[in-house]
Amino acid sequence: MNSLQASQQAAPPDSVQHLSFRVRDARYALPIELVREIIEYGQVTTVPMMPSFIHGVINLRGNVVPVLDLAARFGFELTRPGKRTCIVIIELNLDEQQQRIGLVVDAVDAVLDIEQGEVEQAPPFGAGIRTDFIAGMARDDGGFTIIIDVRRVLSLDDIRQLSLAQQAS
């Protein structure tokens, strides 16, 4: 059992565990049930004719995994990999099949137990990213953690591009 699985079992019944991470100076989170693993930023092969927010693809134990730069997707400049830059591998059920996608983040912080009562609706302005990308805002001692809606961040058009990236490599 890996550490993500162990921490999932310890969550209170009225909370949902989220992986928190940083993109630029903001804290974000996504449900841990989507996360398969976190890997060090390594060799990413660029694929021609992809949107700028798609870094390329990686070889993950013999599988081609497209890598998306969350900062660029949110409208910031492309991430320049640093010491703490990671790729969060998520798995989504798309078109009746499991799709693994790598998300480039500046740093991974922690696994958070977020109670439903702590989650507020996204404000219509001021979050720094498109509000349709936000599933909610979790209040904590340090301010807010933005919970992203990965399916909206990856629009259907983006998913088609990611599929093309996998086929091209």
Side-chain angles (χ1 to χ4, degrees):
M1 177 182 331
N2 67 32
S3 60
L4 288 177
Q5 289 171 327
S7 62
Q8 283 178 316
Q9 294 174 347
D14 60 339
S15 70
V16 176
Q17 288 197 313
H18 288 76
L19 178 71
S20 70
F21 53 87
R22 297 195 180 269
V23 175
R24 299 309 180 254
D25 293 324
R27 290 181 301 161
Y28 296 91
L30 55 89
I32 198 128
E33 68 190 25
L34 300 176
V35 178
R36 292 299 159 248
E37 62 187 293
I38 300 162
I39 61 174
E40 182 180 339
Y41 188 92
Q43 182 62 40
V44 177
T45 303
T46 58
V47 178
M49 313 261 315
M50 288 292 119
S52 62
F53 58 86
I54 298 177
H55 270 226
V57 295
I58 58 171
N59 179 347
L60 185 64
R61 292 182 294 285
N63 296 306
V64 177
V65 177
V67 177
L68 181 139
D69 186 330
L70 277 182
R73 182 65 177 125
F74 293 162
F76 303 111
E77 63 184 56
L78 281 172
T79 298
R80 289 198 176 105
K83 285 189 239 177
R84 297 195 61 205
T85 306
C86 298
I87 299 175
V88 176
I89 305 295
I90 62 168
E91 192 169 79
L92 296 172
N93 188 354
L94 304 172
D95 297 330
E96 304 299 320
Q97 63 181 347
Q98 293 298 104
Q99 171 74 47
R100 287 197 176 189
I101 300 165
L103 303 175
V104 177
V105 301
D106 293 330
V108 171
D109 290 332
V111 174
L112 306 174
D113 290 325
I114 299 176
E115 294 185 30
Q116 296 302 327
E118 295 174 345
V119 178
E120 298 180 17
Q121 196 170 15
F125 59 88
I129 65 171
R130 289 177 24 188
T131 55
D132 62 322
F133 288 176
I134 301 173
M137 308 278 286
R139 183 186 307 268
D140 59 28
D141 296 337
F144 284 99
T145 298
I146 301 167
I147 301 171
I148 62 171
D149 182 340
V150 175
R151 292 185 184 281
R152 292 200 181 214
V153 170
L154 301 171
S155 70
L156 290 176
D157 210 35
D158 300 337
I159 292 166
R160 278 196 223 60
Q161 291 289 332
L162 290 170
S163 178
L164 289 173
Q166 273 189 307
Q167 294 168 7
S169 57

